[in-house]
Amino acid sequence: MSQRVKTSIVLLVSLIYTSVAFSQSHYKVRTIVIDAGHGGRKPGARGAISYEKDIALEVALKLGKKFEEDMPGVKVLYTRKKDVDVDFYKRAEIANDAKADIFISIHCNSMPDHRVITGYSKKRGKKVPIYKSSKNTSTRGTETFVAGMHRINEQDVAIRENADIKLEKNYKQNYDGYDPGDPETFIILSLFKNKFRDKSMELAKLIQHNYSKVDHRLSRGIKEQGILILQRCGMPAVLTEIGFISNPEEERYMNSAKGQAEIVHSIFNAVKTYKKENELN
């Protein structure tokens, strides 16, 4: 048995133990970890006027302040409070070490450029297409992810969100040989599926409901993906994509005070409802 598989089994046993405690105790939401995606030398997606890392941090700090003011009985922790690079495994470690009850990761979505044919040239008597890069600026909406194993044709989001791992020192040692560019390594992540999937889905649905019904934004739904940071969290965990930074209108919305306030209220009220429905007296 390889060392990577052995380590994965140890983590699985740990998660099972934690999930049993979750089901047997008088559950209350006491600690929430808010994760501002990317940071430092990992800017994430780039829009016309901003970077994902900066929007994520602004929203994360405002969300944390909302919890501190309106839910004073809950402890709020952050994976980062300024523009710094925090390794993926450390983000999950912060939540696990704090025995957090909820983990919320804030991100912006983006559509990649696509090539279009703008004309043709001749090379050695053959017609050769001339390509130009074209930005996809029309795709919009919100979506929220929970840990899960996705189908082969749904790997794009997981690969994109996990790609920052390669910028970390000793990433193969820190992630037990995990290679974010190798689809086969997603098999290892299947060991990390745990008891918290249903609770993560419940929270994700509440968040998406508020985005669409309260803020009147397009919902792209709730999706399960092999996103490493979610797989390593031993508690209900979601990664919410608050809009497309590649869409100029949504980028302006996410940078505006009004837009950020609406996003914060949608996530806060989702947690408030989740807390009320799940706490045992």
Side-chain angles (χ1 to χ4, degrees):
M1 184 183 293
S2 70
Q3 183 59 40
R4 181 171 62 178
V5 174
K6 288 179 181 177
T7 306
S8 298
I9 291 173
V10 169
L11 179 56
L12 175 64
V13 171
S14 174
L15 289 172
I16 291 173
Y17 175 81
T18 307
S19 67
V20 170
F22 178 92
S23 62
Q24 290 179 346
S25 64
H26 293 294
Y27 176 69
K28 287 189 180 295
V29 176
R30 296 185 176 91
T31 304
I32 296 173
V33 171
I34 301 175
D35 172 51
H38 306 282
R41 65 194 181 112
K42 301 171 184 173
R46 181 178 182 176
I49 60 173
S50 58
Y51 287 99
E52 177 181 4
K53 66 174 184 176
D54 298 322
I55 295 175
L57 181 58
E58 289 179 13
V59 172
L61 293 176
K62 289 179 179 180
L63 178 61
K65 185 178 180 181
K66 178 72 172 173
F67 279 119
E68 290 164 355
E69 292 176 349
D70 295 354
M71 209 177 281
V74 172
K75 182 179 181 181
V76 178
L77 299 176
Y78 304 85
T79 58
R80 67 183 182 99
K81 297 183 76 173
K82 54 186 179 179
D83 185 19
V84 294
D85 175 12
V86 181
D87 291 345
F88 273 31
Y89 79 94
K90 288 183 179 177
R91 295 172 191 249
E93 206 172 70
I94 289 169
N96 291 334
D97 288 349
K99 296 181 173 57
D101 302 291
I102 293 175
F103 179 90
I104 302 170
S105 188
I106 310 293
H107 286 252
C108 301
N109 223 328
S110 180
M111 288 298 291
D113 294 350
H114 59 277
R115 294 197 307 167
V116 295
I117 297 175
T118 58
Y120 294 89
S121 64
K122 280 192 175 183
K123 187 175 182 181
R124 295 178 182 177
K126 292 184 178 181
K127 192 176 180 182
V128 179
I130 299 172
Y131 292 97
K132 181 182 179 182
S133 180
S134 177
K135 293 187 177 297
N136 182 336
T137 60
S138 60
T139 303
R140 62 189 179 91
T142 64
E143 52 193 358
T144 299
F145 294 89
V146 301
M149 291 310 298
H150 45 281
R151 295 183 291 274
I152 294 298
N153 64 346
E154 294 177 343
Q155 288 178 353
D156 291 351
V157 172
I159 290 173
R160 186 183 75 239
E161 294 297 351
N162 292 343
D164 278 356
I165 293 168
K166 283 193 171 181
L167 298 176
E168 299 177 10
K169 292 181 180 179
N170 304 317
Y171 77 87
K172 287 191 176 180
Q173 292 92 322
N174 291 335
Y175 300 102
D176 314 319
Y178 174 80
D179 181 354
D182 180 4
E184 289 185 5
T185 59
F186 286 128
I187 296 171
I188 293 298
L189 297 184
S190 66
L191 292 174
F192 302 155
K193 293 184 75 174
N194 57 78
K195 185 100 174 179
F196 304 116
R197 175 192 172 278
D198 290 346
K199 294 300 178 185
S200 299
M201 288 289 289
E202 182 181 340
L203 178 57
K205 287 177 182 177
L206 290 168
I207 291 172
Q208 285 300 124
H209 175 272
N210 288 347
Y211 286 153
S212 62
K213 301 302 181 183
V214 179
D215 299 339
H216 307 293
R217 302 183 66 201
L218 175 67
S219 174
R220 297 169 60 88
I222 300 103
K223 299 174 183 176
E224 293 185 71
Q225 288 277 347
I227 298 173
L228 191 62
I229 192 170
L230 298 181
Q231 299 282 17
R232 297 180 74 96
C233 287
M235 74 280 308
V238 298
L239 184 153
T240 185
E241 302 273 11
I242 61 176
F244 278 82
I245 199 171
S246 52
N247 180 307
E249 183 181 349
E250 288 210 334
E251 182 182 15
R252 289 192 296 270
Y253 174 82
M254 291 187 292
N255 276 283
S256 70
K258 175 180 180 293
Q260 291 184 3
E262 288 183 354
I263 292 165
V264 164
H265 277 83
S266 284
I267 299 172
F268 173 84
N269 287 329
V271 173
K272 185 177 180 181
T273 301
Y274 172 91
K275 185 175 184 291
K276 181 179 179 180
E277 292 178 352
N278 284 278
E279 287 190 342
L280 301 175
N281 297 318

